[in-house]
Amino acid sequence: MPVPEFIREIREKIGNDPLWLPGVRGVVLDEENRVLLCQRADNGRWTLITGMLEPGEHPAPGLIREIFEETAVVAETERILAVGVIGPVTYPNGDVCDFLDIAFKCRYLSGEARVNDDESIAVGWFALDELPEISTGHRETIRLALEPGTAVAYQRD
């Protein structure tokens, strides 16, 4: 995955020291209640659509941008599902990051799901009973999206 220019500039100043970054992820559901997933190019894992916000970018529009950039799907956010922290994550080059993670339920509007950038090797819609192996956290986010009108889940530890 390419490192955003603003991260490169920060890393020139702080090296590999821990960096706090805002991240978003979305449970995109279509009219058949299938979930949009991508298979990451860096580790081969299937995940929800995730991304890092750019400086000054609001979370909901940032997620919609990430969904389109990665999958060519146009979606809209419906509600926040959860707020938590992911990390620390240490990358192969030694960079350390913690991510403030805001998860949204999203609704499909248009577009044919496909690999639309170099961050994924596959993209697809999956029925809930046919999901590939995904992390426990992503499964929990999908569960939250399927519960109507539940309160935002705040990570406590």
Side-chain angles (χ1 to χ4, degrees):
M1 257 185 286
V3 176
E5 186 59 33
F6 77 94
I7 299 294
R8 274 197 203 100
E9 291 172 4
I10 293 171
R11 287 289 179 202
E12 286 176 12
K13 297 173 184 167
I14 69 166
N16 300 112
D17 287 351
L19 184 58
W20 178 249
L21 295 167
V24 288
R25 70 172 126 165
V27 178
V28 183
L29 297 169
D30 69 4
E31 55 280 340
E32 297 172 34
N33 240 17
R34 296 179 302 166
V35 179
L36 181 63
L37 299 176
C38 67
Q39 188 177 21
R40 295 174 55 109
D42 60 350
N43 62 22
R45 294 185 182 140
W46 285 96
T47 70
L48 295 170
I49 311 307
T50 64
M52 197 172 8
L53 298 177
E54 296 174 2
E57 187 173 34
H58 289 262
L63 176 59
I64 296 308
R65 173 188 55 77
E66 287 286 348
I67 292 167
F68 183 78
E69 285 178 0
E70 294 180 19
T71 69
V73 164
V74 177
E76 68 179 1
T77 57
E78 292 187 331
R79 64 186 172 96
I80 294 175
L81 299 171
V83 177
V85 176
I86 297 173
V89 176
T90 302
Y91 291 92
N93 67 356
D95 287 353
V96 178
C97 296
D98 287 279
F99 295 92
L100 170 65
D101 179 55
I102 305 169
F104 289 85
K105 178 180 181 182
C106 302
R107 183 169 57 94
Y108 165 82
L109 295 177
S110 65
E112 290 294 320
R114 63 178 169 83
V115 173
N116 204 37
D117 65 12
D118 59 356
E119 294 183 30
S120 303
I121 56 175
V123 168
W125 293 101
F126 292 86
L128 297 171
D129 60 351
E130 296 178 352
L131 294 174
E133 184 178 329
I134 59 174
S135 74
T136 303
H138 284 216
R139 281 192 184 275
E140 174 63 10
T141 306
I142 292 169
R143 185 191 68 73
L144 291 171
L146 297 172
E147 290 183 3
T150 57
V152 175
Y154 293 100
Q155 180 181 348
R156 303 283 183 203
D157 54 12

